[in-house]
């Protein structure tokens, strides 16, 4: 079942601006992951944050996790046109062989 | 590519049998089949935590799977239905605990 819900559903910004996407989930998690999907492609893993971590960085990406609010955010700084894609948060559970529960995604458009 | 899928595109008729193949070269124990539909996000169909084992996911009806070899995970539609028109992703990951998942490029299947 879908656990994560991203907000907003769609986001349009200009190059150089920061993009912030949020994710809320319902039940306890072990970790939360963010993925990117370019049109017509498979999802690509961006970053994993464990339940005992509050913030994580990877290049221009910053992820925060607030387990008390059951929410996470993905910040992309100094966005580029190449960042145009859909972004998904995913939570895992103890069952289903650690299969991920994906949200419906945020569609990000970065215009030059 | 670490995870490959065949075919990449497929068209079949209602009631026909079709098999989607997935192969991974990373030696992963866990493999999954998801389907992705507009507005629905990704939903887990079946998964496997090791060679010779399979289990049902969120939406298993109308699908069967087999994992005879560690590197291969087959998804079968015994009697295809228009509702199974979708993009199918094969995914693999390591066995031990939560970890990033590696996506195949997807199979776009149309059932007429």
């Amino acid at each position: 079942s879908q656990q994560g819900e991203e907000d907003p559903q769609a986001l349009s910004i200009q190059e150089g601006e920061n993009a912030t996407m949020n994710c809320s989930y319902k039940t306890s998690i072990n970790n939360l992951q963010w993925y990117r999907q370019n049109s017509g492609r498979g999802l690509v893993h961006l970053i994993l944050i464990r339940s005992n971590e509050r913030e994580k960085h990877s290049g221009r990406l910053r992820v925060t996790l607030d387990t008390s609010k059951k929410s996470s955010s993905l910040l992309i700084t100094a966005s580029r046109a190449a960042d145009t894609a859909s972004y998904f948060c995913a939570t895992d559970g103890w069952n289903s062989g650690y299969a991920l529960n994906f949200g419906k995604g945020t569609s990000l458009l970065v215009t030059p | 590519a670490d995870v490959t899928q065949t075919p990449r595109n497929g068209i079949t008729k209602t009631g026909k049998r079709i098999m989607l193949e997935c192969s991974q070269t990373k030696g992963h124990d866990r493999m999954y089949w998801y389907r992705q539909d507009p507005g629905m996000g990704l939903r887990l169909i079946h998964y496997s935590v090791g060679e010779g084992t399979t289990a049902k996911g969120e939406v298993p009806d109308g699908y069967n799977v087999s994992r005879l070899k560690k590197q291969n995970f087959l998804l079968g539609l015994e009697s295809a239905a228009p509702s199974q028109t979708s993009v199918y992703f094969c995914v693999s990951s390591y066995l031990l605990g939560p970890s990033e998942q590696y996506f195949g490029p997807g199979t776009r299947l149309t059932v007429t």
Side-chain angles (χ1 to χ4, degrees):
Chain A
S1 60
Q2 283 164 340
Q3 160 93 288
E5 289 290 336
E6 292 90 347
D7 172 64
Q9 288 187 330
L11 180 61
S12 182
I13 60 174
Q14 291 189 314
E15 269 191 327
E17 294 181 337
N18 295 341
T20 300
M21 288 158 268
N22 302 298
C23 170
S24 59
Y25 57 92
K26 297 175 183 174
T27 61
S28 297
I29 60 172
N30 298 309
N31 66 73
L32 186 143
Q33 304 181 37
W34 284 90
Y35 287 78
R36 184 186 72 209
Q37 183 180 33
N38 289 88
S39 181
R41 303 283 187 90
L43 280 69
V44 174
H45 179 262
L46 294 176
I47 198 165
L48 181 155
I49 186 166
R50 299 186 185 279
S51 58
N52 61 354
E53 297 176 309
R54 291 297 167 258
E55 188 171 310
K56 203 161 184 180
H57 296 255
S58 177
R60 295 184 295 111
L61 305 180
R62 182 174 81 101
V63 169
T64 62
L65 179 64
D66 187 334
T67 54
S68 67
K69 295 181 179 179
K70 292 186 170 61
S71 66
S72 174
S73 67
L74 170 67
L75 168 67
I76 304 174
T77 59
S79 61
R80 306 165 182 168
D83 295 327
T84 294
S86 291
Y87 292 82
F88 295 83
C89 69
T91 57
D92 77 322
W94 294 102
N95 56 7
S96 299
Y98 286 104
L100 295 178
N101 298 306
F102 289 89
K104 297 179 182 180
T106 290
S107 178
L108 173 65
L109 173 64
V110 182
T111 54
Chain B
D2 297 325
V3 183
T4 57
Q5 294 181 229
T6 55
R8 292 293 313 278
N9 292 282
I11 300 175
T12 191
K13 293 182 184 290
T14 297
K16 294 292 187 181
R17 181 176 182 267
I18 187 169
M19 191 74 70
L20 308 185
E21 300 184 13
C22 175
S23 181
Q24 52 100 1
T25 60
K26 296 191 73 68
H28 287 158
D29 288 287
R30 299 186 334 224
M31 297 186 74
Y32 313 85
W33 277 105
Y34 290 87
R35 60 178 288 175
Q36 184 178 33
D37 302 289
M40 298 292 291
L42 288 98
R43 294 179 291 171
L44 180 67
I45 305 171
H46 284 280
Y47 65 97
S48 168
V49 297
E51 181 179 323
T53 72
T54 63
K56 295 179 180 179
E58 179 187 358
V59 288
D61 293 343
Y63 304 95
N64 55 62
V65 288
S66 65
R67 183 96 182 271
L68 298 180
K69 294 182 180 180
K70 184 176 182 177
Q71 64 268 31
N72 297 330
F73 195 28
L74 306 181
L75 177 70
L77 286 70
E78 287 296 321
S79 180
S83 62
Q84 294 177 305
T85 293
S86 186
V87 179
Y88 293 87
F89 288 102
C90 176
V91 181
S92 70
S93 68
Y94 289 109
L95 179 64
L96 296 177
S99 63
E100 73 174 274
Q101 299 196 348
Y102 293 79
F103 277 72
T107 294
R108 185 173 297 276
L109 179 66
T110 301
V111 182
T112 60

